[in-house]
Amino acid sequence: MTFATLGLIEPLLRALETLGYQTPTPVQAQAIPAVLAGRDLMAAAQTGTGKTAGFALPLLQLLTMEGPKVAANSARALILCPTRELAEQVHASVAEYAQHLPLTTYAVYGGVSINPQMMKLRKGVDILVATPGRLIDLFRQNALKLNQLQTLVLDEADRMLDLGFSEELANIYRMLPKKRQTLLFSATFSDEIRQLAGQMLNDPLSIEVSPRNVAANTVKQWVVPVDKKRKPELFVHLMRKGRWKQVLVFAKTRNGVDALVDKLQGLGINADGIHGDKPQATRQRALDRFKSSDVQILVATDVAARGLDIEDLPLVVNFDLPIVAEDYIHRIGRTGRAGNTGEAISLVCADEVNMLSAIEMLTRQTLTRQMEPDFEPEHRVPDTDASGQVVKKPKKPKKPKTSGGGGGKRNLGKWVDSGDVAPAEPSIKPVRKVPVFNTGPRKKK
Ligand code: AMP
């Protein structure tokens, strides 16, 4: 299948050629013809599937082929995104796809001055990418009218609800023309999303590109915080303690695979490794021996393990977290298959906190942490959670003041009033920076 066979027009094909897109991804193959045919869409697809082009390409085509010129202070299509980063990213992609088309695009979001945005909207824009709050502000200040709107895209709808935008979405819904095309993209489909879809969509076509995060539901996942240098030791400890029989282990690099395999073999453990430097035949042999249980521990890189079909693995261990969060889902998808329950354990050191946060955001869950006695890390893994937008970086402990008030041990050497010292609470507490996102969706009245 090619983009041309999906019915895209020449200026779009030219842009795709420049970008090096050769084959449509599954979400594009399904979404493009449906959107071109005017259907509403409810698509289960997350970042990395090519969903942006899936909605943007047909949208650009429809706007080019149909409808009147955009009026002042108007938009013909609106793409709603949960965050300004995503709005920027989506807008950048849309602008690239539209490079040979006579269409205008623009992105608006909060946290920056509204005036330039109001100025820019004066002439109207064909495609407006927006975050919900700023869109409402612009609408209320009469900088934007929505009566010319043909298409609404809700991108990452579940995240918009997670971030507490349900009231804003309800408000926006009231601002929209009744007759329009609506495309909803969401990684997960909770009852609330279905309710939103029921309200906003008209006889939608359902697309499910990869039920990848379904696998996660049958997999018990947790994290063991540990110092980097103690990971091999912890692995062996957990293996013996849990009497692991067949484990697929993921390491980040080829060297990492080799080092762990050497270590395990040195301890008399039946382990083998696969990575891109090994010839295909060697990889296949290791895999076959693992499948037939001649090898107990198979250590792999993500690339080597891609597409591995091993049925019903009881356990996956992330010796290192993947650099790309999506790979975490690929990895744990190798256990808990076909309704079986599986386990996925991640050994996480302080360096990997950004990756942990990205995984939690992608999978929309905060992974349980379980300290292993005697392996508690010296370098604490900072707190993370599923809202993930801001990673709480490890705070550099402030040097307690050597003079003046405040509490802490330093005061012990000088005279202090007993009331000045806070005995129980340490004076330096990690600051959680994103409580705003943890409040859950606001309920509609
Ligand atoms: P998205 O899921 O929309 O965030 O897209 C993920 C990445 O895949 C982006 O970097 C896109 O530029 C890229 N991409 C999307 N569709 C294709 C395609 N058909 N071929 C190659 N790359 C693509």
Side-chain angles (χ1 to χ4, degrees), residues 114-293:
I114 200 168
N115 291 336
Q117 298 178 350
M118 293 171 82
M119 299 276 281
K120 179 81 185 186
L121 286 173
R122 277 190 191 161
K123 283 189 181 160
V125 290
D126 290 296
I127 299 195
L128 183 66
V129 187
T131 51
R134 182 51 60 97
L135 181 91
I136 292 173
D137 285 350
L138 288 161
F139 184 84
R140 292 202 172 136
Q141 298 196 38
N142 294 322
L144 179 69
K145 289 177 272 183
L146 292 174
N147 43 352
Q148 217 191 350
L149 196 84
Q150 283 175 229
T151 309
L152 168 72
V153 181
L154 297 162
D155 195 14
E156 302 210 357
D158 49 352
R159 219 166 138 213
M160 284 201 266
L161 295 184
D162 288 346
L163 296 182
F165 284 134
S166 55
E167 238 168 65
E168 283 83 351
L169 290 181
N171 282 335
I172 292 169
Y173 174 67
R174 287 193 283 273
M175 291 152 34
L176 299 170
K178 291 264 171 306
K179 191 170 170 297
R180 58 164 202 276
Q181 185 177 25
T182 308
L183 318 174
L184 183 147
F185 287 77
S186 188
T188 54
F189 277 88
S190 61
D191 289 348
E192 223 181 343
I193 290 285
R194 286 179 198 283
Q195 199 184 334
L196 181 78
Q199 190 181 33
M200 290 217 177
L201 304 179
N202 174 26
D203 184 26
L205 179 76
S206 285
I207 293 181
E208 191 157 344
V209 196
S210 58
R212 280 174 303 181
N213 55 356
V214 173
N217 299 336
T218 56
V219 181
K220 190 177 161 214
Q221 304 161 59
W222 77 92
V223 163
V224 187
V226 63
D227 283 332
K228 195 180 202 160
K229 61 178 187 302
R230 295 198 71 199
K231 280 190 179 189
E233 202 188 329
L234 173 63
F235 179 83
V236 174
H237 165 80
L238 291 173
M239 189 189 132
R240 291 190 170 141
K241 186 174 144 188
R243 296 169 197 271
W244 295 344
K245 293 211 167 51
Q246 195 193 23
V247 195
L248 180 59
V249 186
F250 285 94
K252 198 164 54 186
T253 63
R254 296 163 186 194
N255 286 344
V257 169
D258 289 340
L260 183 59
V261 170
D262 285 351
K263 162 108 189 162
L264 296 174
Q265 287 177 345
L267 292 168
I269 296 165
N270 191 354
D272 206 345
I274 53 173
H275 57 63
D277 275 350
K278 297 200 175 198
Q280 186 56 38
T282 315
R283 283 158 61 170
Q284 192 57 48
R285 199 168 51 241
L287 182 59
D288 290 343
R289 294 186 62 225
F290 180 63
K291 281 184 181 180
S292 63
S293 301

Side-chain angles (χ1 to χ4, degrees), residues 3 20-25 28 46-53 89 97:
F3 285 103
Y21 293 14
Q22 285 169 350
T23 319
T25 65
Q28 291 161 3
Q46 44 194 226
T47 302
T49 54
K51 66 183 167 72
T52 315
Q89 187 186 305
Y97 305 143

Side-chain angles (χ1 to χ4, degrees), residues 47-101:
T47 302
T49 54
K51 66 183 167 72
T52 315
F55 63 73
L57 293 170
L59 182 60
L60 289 165
Q61 178 150 334
L62 291 178
L63 293 172
T64 306
M65 314 287 282
E66 295 170 13
K69 259 184 75 136
V70 69
N73 292 105
S74 298
R76 294 169 68 205
L78 171 65
I79 303 172
L80 279 181
C81 297
T83 63
R84 77 160 106 164
E85 288 78 13
L86 190 66
E88 276 292 1
Q89 187 186 305
V90 167
H91 177 251
S93 298
V94 170
E96 276 182 327
Y97 305 143
Q99 59 187 283
H100 303 299
L101 296 174

